[in-house]
Every structure is written in structure tokens, then in C-alpha cells.
């Protein structure tokens, strides 16, 4: 039910054109007359559809027709972007000159820099790159580092980091790596490290390319082992030199992704001895990570084998190849799930956290669990006082921050929920400045006519560099227009002045509270869930087809309607009240099925009830540790945010504040045998 708004095509919008135009007029009713004179926005929708179809002639006609339009920059962008492969520098510079300082200027610069990189036009790339304001494209960064290398600068460390961080094989980072490899600045060890990280993160194309730097045969071998790692390993008689050892390690990592126990058996029977100890340690750690992702109890002993081999490989801890932060993060989670001695558990947590990169250690989740590990492993009495003091300082460093672990730390230190003071009211001048900002004006219009994806990007670009008061004014503009996702996300950016009414709005309050209470749901919990599901966007539609305020799947809507006796037709899912009725009814059924556990119910709402039923199997765990062990990153983040949101909504709704720990409830483990059987029909 994750919200991923998709741009709507004019075909889908055709029947809504008049309604969209009406909404656009409402949004712009307080704008200058020149803005109101634009009239028909169909030309913009037609241009967007022509861009999708790559229709050059239609785009050229639309660009001419929309020349004086409020959204002319976007039509111009689509027209030029559609033929960027054949564009010349003077055309692009003319576009920059037409729309200086706008989102589309910088968006086109991003696209143009990628095109210049593909053309190997380093002179024009180097001239344009310093003007790239967003500078958030990793492939562009790789091209930029390459131009700096060609100019004689030392970029090895930055290039290595960018290469290792690439999501998958791309031209920019691959060209950078191949150039530095040919120049002798990247070694075979770097190539094999990239290959291991890529296999660990299921990026086989990047792994094959990295191995190909060592030799074409190595690249071909990676393709073979990716397709069938067990068969590849069975054909290898033993370690046949460094390259063979690296390839066997990759095969073990690939096998572990689908069958950690099979990979562990291969290591025990053969490869732990055949491989160099550092590689054997990496293979065990990768196998352990995959076991941890599958919540297997074997994860901890696998990690322990990895650490033992790592210690043998480098007793003085010199020349150790760092494990990935993700690999170490799953060691922390496996240790939290470990049903063994407390001291052993906390020592495993400590070891993993200390081995993480300095940047990763700053993550509030790891700050919190490091503090807990120090508390849990501290000796009794005065001897353990330094550890307890360090733990307290760590908790204080995140206490009060407005997220899941900030609240847990605050409650661990004895604090209770206290809402920050409301900022001073916005002045008329502050409101007017936001209302007259052209970027916000274009963004709201794009959203109003159904081009939400473009509108969100325009809005976010316009927020760059704004101070707290300007952000509050922009957020209020979005709130007033009931564009709730921009209201929330914009207000979330403030640092010193916090407006909780903006960050946690309560639209449809009367209906929602009444509906929730009628069926025995906590309205704060419902609000916390909707804020995470749809940000109160009524026509939100996820990439998997979930719809409306509560992001209900069509099949779930049909099932729930039948369950509660609602006469239902598919198009009713978009109706606010129907969506709310079905969503709350389903949430109540899920909550009851999981014995009232808000954490389990939130996980079930997001990932389906079958998965959390499996995830609760195993040892009894404190709910925060259970939530941290959810294998899906999206659902893990979702559960923590829903519960965290609910704490604030409880206070904002005027009910008795319920602490985060109270919402998390008692320990989570296998279903009580005395409890009613699970509802297997629950979708």
C-alpha cells in the first residue's frame, strides 16, 4: 500500500478536464489576472501525452500553442527533452535563458549533462556542470569525477565511493571505474570488492562489469555463477588462485540469497578451508545476512563464524576489508532476535555497530541500540558506570527527535509526550510571499490538473534554501489548498520552529473520528496510518493499484464490503467516505486478528496479514526489536512511522496521550495457543 504517485495521462484525464479546470481556477483565484487568462489547460495535458508517446511533431505544435501559458516552461521542457539526443549546445543554452532559476532549467541540465557524458563531450560537460544546482544524480557525479581525473586531479577516493554506491550498472560510473582501472588508480582488489557488494545487493550486471575489468573470462564466469551458483560451485575442484577464489565467493553469496543453509553447507564442507580467510569470512557474513533477512535462528552462529575467521585473517585488524553497512545492520537485527544469553546478544550488537562506517553509526536506530547494548553489557556496580553514562548520553543525543527512536529514547529517559510550542502566527507578508512564488504557483496548478508527479518535483525544488518561516508559509499555502502531502512534507523540513498542526493535520476530522469510534478503533492510530499511507491525498494510487485515503487494494475493498454488508461497486473506492469506511473496517479486522497489537496490525495492513504471521514466529521479542527485524525495508519503516505518528495524533486530538511503548504493547512472539485461530480469509 506504499504511496508512489504515477503521472496520469490525458486519456485517463479526458473525462475530468472540466473538473480539473474548475479546480485550477479555484487554486488561482487569488492570482493576478494574467494567470487567470490562460483558460484551457488541455494543451498542457496534450503535450504531456505527446511526450509520453515521443511524438515530436505534436510536441512542437504544443510548445508553440503554450508559449504564453503559465506552464509553458514544462511544455518547452518536454519538447526539447524529447529530442535531446540530437540537440545542440546553443539550443540548450537558449532554453536555460528562457527559464532561468526554474526547476525545469535545472531538470534539463541534469538530462543534458547525462547526454554530454554519453557523447563524451567533456569540454561542454565541464562548462555546464558547475551550474547544476540539484546535483543529486550519481551518474552525473561519476561523469564529473571523470572530467576532474582527466584534468589531472586526484579523485580516487571519491570515485571509489561513487562506484561502490551505484544502484546498478550505469554508463557514467562504469566509465569512471574502467578509466581509473586502466590508469592504475583502481586495483583488482577494488574490482572484486565492487563485485562482492553488487552480488550482495542483487546487482548482477554491475558485478559482471566489475569482474570484467580483471579479465573478460572473469566477467563471463560471473554471468555463469549468477545463473546457477550451485552448479558453478560443483564444477570447481578447489581454490585455483586468487581469481578462482573471488569467483567462488561470489557464487556462495549468490547461492545464499536463495538458500542460506545450502551456502552454509558448502562453506562447512569445502570452501571455508579452500578460500583465503578474509573471503571465507565475507562469504559467511553474506550468508548470515541472508539468513537474518529470512529471520532464521542460524543467522547468529553464521555471523560468529564470520567474525572468528575475520580475526584469524587479521589479528591486528590491519588490512581488513570493511563489510558493508547493510551486512552489519542485519547482524544487529539478528542479535536482537537471538534467543541466547543477554551478554552474548549485546556483544554481537556492539561488535556490528563499532564496525559500521562513521556515517552509518549516526543513524538514530543504531544510536539507540548502541545505547541499549552498552546498558545491557555493562558490569554491575561502579565498574559498569562508564558504560551506563555513555549509554545515557547517547539516548540524550536523540531524545525528543521527532521519529520512532527519538521517542523511545525520550521514554527510556523517563520523558513523556510534550508537543512543541506553536510558532508565532504567519504575517500577511509571509503568506503573500509564498502565494506569489512562481514555483509554488506552477506546482499547485500541475497538481490540480492531474500532473502530480511534475507538481511535486516543482514544489520540492522551490523549497531549496528556504528558512523556517518561509517553509511554514509554504506549508500553510499547501494546507489552505488541501494539498496535504505538500503541507506535511514542507512543514517537516523546519528545524527550530515546529507547527504540529501542519505536520500532523487532521482533515475530515468529524467523519474520521466518528467512523473510528463507531467500530472501536483509536482515531489517533487511524490518522497515524493514513498520514503514512496517502498523506491524505484522496486520489492517491500506488504502483500496485491501492487507492484512496487508506490505500485499499480493489480485492481487499470487495472482500471488506462483503464482510460488513456494504453494497459496493468498484468505482466507489475513490469516494472519500466509502474509502474511509472500508479502510477502517479492514484495519479493525486486522487489529482484532492480531490480538490488538498495533505493530503487527500495521505490518499486516502494509504487507498483508500472511507475512507478519510468519514474522512473529520465533522467540518472544520486545516490540521495538521485532519491528526493527521486519525483513521488508518499506514495511519496517512504515510500522515505525505509523506508531510514531499515532503518539502525536493522540496528543493533538485532545485524548489522553498514549506513549509509544504503550502502543507497541507487550512482547511479540508466536500466536498464543489459547487465542482464536487466525482468520485465513483475511486478504
Amino acid at each position: 500500500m506504499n504511496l508512489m504517485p504515477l503521472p496520469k495521462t490525458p486519456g485517463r484525464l479526458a473525462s475530468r478536464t472540466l473538473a480539473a479546470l474548475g479546480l485550477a481556477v479555484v487554486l488561482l483565484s487569488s492570482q493576478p489576472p494574467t494567470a487567470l487568462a490562460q483558460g484551457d489547460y488541455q494543451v498542457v495535458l496534450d503535450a504531456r501525452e505527446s511526450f509520453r508517446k515521443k511524438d515530436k511533431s505534436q510536441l512542437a505544435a504544443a510548445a508553440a500553442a503554450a508559449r504564453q501559458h503559465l506552464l509553458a516552461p514544462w511544455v518547452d521542457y518536454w519538447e526539447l527533452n524529447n529530442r535531446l539526443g540530437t540537440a545542440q549546445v546553443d539550443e540548450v543554452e537558449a532554453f536555460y535563458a528562457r527559464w532561468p532559476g526554474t526547476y525545469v532549467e535545472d531538470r534539463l541540465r541534469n538530462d543534458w549533462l547525462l547526454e554530454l557524458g554519453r557523447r563524451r563531450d567533456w569540454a561542454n560537460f565541464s562548462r555546464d556542470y558547475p551550474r547544476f544546482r540539484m546535483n543529486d544524480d550519481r551518474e552525473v557525479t561519476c561523469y564529473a569525477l571523470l572530467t576532474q581525473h582527466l584534468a589531472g586531479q586526484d579523485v580516487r577516493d571519491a570515485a571509489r565511493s561513487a562506484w561502490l554506491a551505484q544502484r546498478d550498472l550505469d554508463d557514467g560510473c562504469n566509465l569512471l571505474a574502467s578509466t581509473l582501472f586502466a590508469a592504475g588508480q583502481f586495483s583488482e582488489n577494488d574490482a572484486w570488492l565492487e563485485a562482492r557488494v553488487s552480488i550482495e545487493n542483487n546487482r548482477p550486471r554491475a558485478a559482471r562489469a566489475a569482474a570484467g575489468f580483471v579479465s573478460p573470462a572473469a566477467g563471463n564466469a560471473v554471468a555463469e555463477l549468477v545463473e546457477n551458483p550451485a552448479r558453478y560451485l560443483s564444477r570447481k575442484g578447489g581454490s585455483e588462485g586468487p581469481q578462482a577464489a573471488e569467483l567462488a565467493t561470489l557464487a556462495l553469496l549468490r547461492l545464499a540469497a536463495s538458500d542460506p543453509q545450502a551456502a552454509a553447507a558448502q562453506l562447512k564442507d569445502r570452501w571455508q578451508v579452500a578460500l583465503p580467510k578474509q573471503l571465507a569470512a565475507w562469504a559467511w557474513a553474506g550468508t548470515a545476512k541472508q539468513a537474518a533477512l529470512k529471520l532464521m535462528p542460524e543467522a547468529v552462529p553464521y555471523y560468529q563464524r564470520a567474525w572468528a575467521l575475520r580475526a584469524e585473517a587479521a589479528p591486528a585488524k590491519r588490512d581488513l576489508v570493511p563489510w558493508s553497512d547493510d551486512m552489519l545492520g542485519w547482524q544487529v537485527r539478528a542479535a536482537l532476535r537471538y534467543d541466547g544469553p543477554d551478554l552474548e546478544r549485546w556483544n554481537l550488537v556492539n561488535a556490528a555497530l563499532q564496525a559500521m562506517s562513521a556515517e552509518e553509526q549516526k543513524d538514530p536506530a543504531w544510536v539507540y541500540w548502541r545505547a541499549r547494548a552498552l546498558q545491557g553489557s555493562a558490569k554491575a556496580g561502579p565498574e559498569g558506570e562508564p558504560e551506563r553514562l555513555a549509554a545515557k548520553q547517547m539516548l540524550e543525543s536523540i531524545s525528543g527527535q521527532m521519529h520512532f527512536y527519538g521517542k523511545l529514547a525520550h521514554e527510556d529517559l523517563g520523558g513523556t509526550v510534550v508537543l512543541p510550542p506553536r510558532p508565532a502566527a504567519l504575517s500577511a507578508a509571509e503568506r503573500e510571499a509564498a502565494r506569489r512564488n512562481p514555483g509554488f504557483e506552477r506546482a499547485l496548478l500541475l497538481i490540480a490538473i492531474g500532473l502530480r508527479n511534475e507538481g511535486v518535483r516543482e514544489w520540492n525544488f522551490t523549497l531549496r534554501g528556504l528558512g523556517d518561516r518561509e517553509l511554514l508559509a509554504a506549508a500553510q499555502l499547501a494546507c489552505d489548498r488541501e494539498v496535504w502531502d505538500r503541507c506535511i512534507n514542507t512543514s517537516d523540513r523546519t528545524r527550530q520552529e515546529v507547527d504540529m498542526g501542519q505536520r500532523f493535520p487532521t482533515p475530515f476530522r468529524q467523519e474520521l473520528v466518528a467512523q473510528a469510534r463507531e467500530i472501536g478503533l483509536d482515531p489517533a492510530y487511524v490518522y497515524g496510518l493514513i498520514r503514512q499511507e496517502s498523506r491524505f491525498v484522496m486520489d492517491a494510487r500506488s504502483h500496485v493499484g491501492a487507492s484512496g485515503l487508506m490505500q485499499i487494494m480493489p480485492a481487499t475493498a470487495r472482500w471488506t464490503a462483503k464482510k460488513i454488508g456494504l453494497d459496493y461497486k468498484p468505482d466507489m473506492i475513490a469516494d472519500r467516505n466509502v474509502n474511509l469506511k472500508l479502510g477502517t473496517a479492514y484495519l479493525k479486522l486486522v487489529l482484532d486478528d492480531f490480538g490488538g497489537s498495533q505493530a503487527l496490525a500495521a505490518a499486516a495492513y502494509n504487507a498483508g496479514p500472511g507475512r507478519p504471521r510468519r514474522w512473529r514466529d520465533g522467540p518472544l521479542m520486545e516490540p521495538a526489536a521485532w519491528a526493527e527485524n521486519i525483513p521488508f525495508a518499506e514495511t519496517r519503516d512504515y510500522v515505525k512511522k505509523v506508531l510514531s505518528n499515532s503518539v502525536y495524533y493522540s496528543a493533538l486530538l485532545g485524548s489522553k496521550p498514549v506513549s509509544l511503548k504503550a502502543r507497541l504493547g507487550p512482547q511479540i512472539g508466536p500466536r498464543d495457543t489459547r487465542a482464536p485461530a487466525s482468520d485465513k480469509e483475511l486478504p
Side-chain angles (χ1 to χ4, degrees):
M1 298 186 184
N2 184 40
L3 174 62
M4 286 183 61
L6 299 176
K8 301 176 179 69
T9 66
R12 290 169 60 195
L13 286 168
S15 64
R16 299 171 53 199
T17 299
L18 291 176
L21 294 179
L23 179 55
V25 169
V26 171
L27 286 174
L28 295 172
S29 59
S30 58
Q31 300 299 333
T34 52
L36 286 174
Q38 306 310 319
D40 184 12
Y41 297 98
Q42 190 62 45
V43 64
V44 179
L45 300 175
D46 289 343
R48 181 65 180 81
E49 178 67 0
S50 298
F51 178 60
R52 187 185 69 82
K53 292 179 176 179
K54 303 187 185 302
D55 188 329
K56 291 183 180 180
S57 61
Q58 288 295 323
L59 269 171
R67 204 162 282 149
Q68 301 302 317
H69 201 284
L70 180 65
L71 298 179
W74 277 91
V75 179
D76 201 9
Y77 166 76
W78 293 325
E79 193 279 327
L80 181 52
N81 181 277
N82 193 51
R83 55 183 179 84
L84 206 57
T86 59
Q88 300 301 311
V89 171
D90 58 346
E91 293 179 272
V92 174
E93 289 293 337
F95 179 91
Y96 294 162
R98 285 196 297 276
W99 313 116
T102 64
Y103 169 75
V104 294
E105 181 215 356
D106 215 46
R107 176 70 256 177
L108 189 81
R109 179 171 287 111
N110 191 160
D111 302 334
W112 181 235
L113 288 168
L114 290 171
E115 175 62 27
L116 291 172
R118 286 188 283 269
R119 294 182 187 184
R120 310 308 193 236
D121 185 348
W122 306 127
N124 281 310
F125 183 99
S126 298
R127 183 178 57 81
D128 204 7
Y129 178 70
R131 297 184 287 177
F132 186 26
R133 291 187 297 279
M134 287 186 289
N135 201 13
D136 58 354
D137 188 304
R138 183 172 287 115
E139 188 174 8
V140 170
T141 298
C142 285
Y143 281 135
L145 289 167
L146 177 56
T147 63
Q148 293 164 22
H149 163 74
L150 295 174
Q153 298 179 39
D154 180 5
V155 299
R156 182 187 182 281
D157 290 344
R160 187 172 180 271
S161 296
W163 183 38
L164 289 170
Q166 68 176 337
R167 298 282 176 86
D168 203 350
L169 185 67
D170 62 60
D171 178 68
C173 294
N174 196 54
L175 180 63
L176 172 66
S178 63
T179 303
L180 267 64
F181 193 85
Q185 293 195 27
F186 281 179
S187 67
E188 289 190 8
N189 286 338
D190 292 321
W192 289 120
L193 176 60
E194 164 68 4
R196 290 196 298 275
V197 170
S198 296
I199 289 293
E200 178 195 338
N201 292 292
N202 194 27
R203 302 192 301 248
R205 291 174 61 244
R208 181 176 183 178
F213 295 156
V214 178
S215 73
N220 292 335
V222 169
E224 180 187 348
L225 67 86
V226 162
E227 182 180 347
N228 193 325
R231 183 177 63 196
Y232 181 88
L233 289 166
S234 71
R235 291 176 177 176
K236 301 300 169 184
S239 182
E240 302 161 6
Q243 183 168 304
E246 291 282 3
L247 290 167
T249 303
L250 296 180
L252 288 163
L253 292 171
R254 183 70 173 179
L255 179 60
S258 58
D259 193 342
Q261 290 174 318
Q266 289 266 11
L267 278 161
K268 290 175 188 175
D269 295 344
R270 181 177 175 188
W271 294 103
Q272 179 175 305
V273 175
L275 293 174
K277 284 186 170 58
Q278 281 232 45
L279 290 181
W282 190 294
W284 270 115
T287 301
K289 172 188 167 180
Q290 297 300 332
L293 275 161
K294 293 174 173 58
L295 307 182
M296 295 167 56
E298 294 89 344
V300 164
Y302 292 171
Y303 272 118
Q304 289 171 328
R305 282 176 179 261
W307 280 98
L309 285 165
R310 186 176 167 90
E312 291 177 26
K317 296 186 179 180
R318 290 190 298 268
D319 301 321
L320 277 176
V321 179
W323 293 346
S324 72
D325 285 331
D326 199 42
M327 195 181 282
L328 293 163
W330 277 102
Q331 178 175 322
V332 174
R333 297 183 181 108
L336 293 175
R337 194 175 178 83
Y338 180 50
D339 190 18
D342 284 349
L343 183 59
E344 190 175 356
R345 175 190 305 115
W346 295 124
N347 284 341
L348 281 162
V349 170
N350 262 323
L353 293 172
Q354 288 173 337
M356 285 178 178
S357 66
E359 191 61 32
E360 185 70 10
Q361 289 183 32
K362 297 176 185 176
D363 186 292
W366 305 141
V367 173
Y368 179 81
W369 290 114
R370 181 77 192 281
R372 290 286 306 277
L374 286 173
Q375 291 173 335
S377 59
K379 294 181 179 178
E383 200 174 351
E385 197 56 35
E387 287 77 13
R388 285 187 287 274
L389 178 60
K392 183 172 182 289
Q393 291 170 340
M394 287 180 185
L395 293 174
E396 288 173 342
S397 73
I398 60 170
S399 174
Q401 293 179 8
M402 299 183 70
H403 50 64
F404 182 82
Y405 282 111
K407 292 182 183 66
L408 280 184
H410 186 64
E411 291 179 20
D412 282 0
L413 293 167
T416 56
V417 180
V418 178
L419 298 180
R422 188 167 187 173
L426 291 163
S427 68
E430 288 172 322
R431 285 174 173 267
E432 183 68 7
R435 190 175 63 81
R436 289 189 173 274
N437 185 301
F440 295 145
E441 185 180 2
R442 283 191 296 271
L444 290 170
L445 180 53
L446 285 161
I447 292 169
I449 65 174
L451 300 181
R452 172 169 285 278
N453 193 36
E454 289 85 349
V456 165
R457 287 186 283 155
E458 176 96 52
W459 182 276
N460 290 344
F461 180 81
T462 308
L463 295 176
R464 294 168 63 256
L466 299 187
D468 275 8
R469 297 296 297 179
E470 294 165 307
L471 289 168
L472 290 173
Q476 194 57 50
L477 174 65
C479 294
D480 293 343
R481 305 287 169 82
E482 297 186 0
V483 185
W484 298 111
D485 61 327
R486 294 308 92 206
C487 166
I488 294 167
N489 290 23
T490 303
S491 195
D492 267 346
R493 293 177 180 236
T494 63
R495 291 294 172 263
Q496 302 303 319
E497 299 195 53
V498 177
D499 188 327
M500 295 296 287
Q502 290 180 347
R503 291 194 183 196
F504 298 89
T506 54
F508 334 119
R509 183 166 175 167
Q510 184 175 349
E511 303 97 309
L512 189 151
V513 171
Q515 176 64 32
R517 287 180 174 160
E518 181 183 338
I519 61 174
L521 272 179
D522 175 8
Y525 183 50
V526 178
Y527 264 119
L529 184 139
I530 297 177
R531 185 183 187 271
Q532 191 58 26
E533 278 289 352
S534 68
R535 287 288 200 263
F536 305 99
V537 177
M538 285 186 287
D539 63 350
R541 185 175 176 83
S542 80
H543 66 293
V544 295
S547 298
L549 276 179
M550 297 196 70
Q551 290 290 276
I552 310 171
M553 293 293 289
T556 302
R558 288 194 302 272
W559 182 89
T560 307
K562 184 177 180 181
K563 192 82 172 176
I564 64 175
L566 176 68
D567 185 15
Y568 176 75
K569 294 180 178 57
D571 59 352
M572 293 168 66
I573 197 170
D575 180 272
R576 185 188 77 192
N577 291 333
V578 173
N579 192 281
L580 191 60
K581 186 177 186 68
L582 292 173
T584 52
Y586 178 72
L587 180 59
K588 182 63 164 66
L589 291 167
V590 169
L591 190 65
D592 290 346
D593 192 64
F594 284 96
S597 169
Q598 293 188 13
L600 281 164
Y605 198 93
N606 180 260
R611 291 187 177 97
R613 285 176 190 147
R614 296 192 300 271
W615 297 340
R616 72 186 300 181
D617 287 342
L620 279 172
M621 301 176 66
E622 64 172 286
W626 179 86
E628 190 58 52
N629 264 274
I630 292 173
F632 295 171
E634 176 195 318
T635 305
R636 183 166 62 249
D637 182 64
Y638 177 92
V639 169
K640 290 188 285 190
K641 285 181 176 173
V642 167
L643 294 177
S644 179
N645 294 344
S646 302
V647 173
Y648 288 129
Y649 273 116
S650 179
L652 287 165
L653 290 171
S655 57
K656 182 180 178 182
V658 179
S659 72
L660 178 56
K661 288 189 175 182
R663 289 189 177 278
L664 284 165
Q667 289 184 309
I668 294 176
R671 194 180 193 92
D672 192 325
T673 55
R674 297 166 295 179
S678 297
D679 183 354
K680 299 301 183 183
E681 293 184 2
L682 196 65

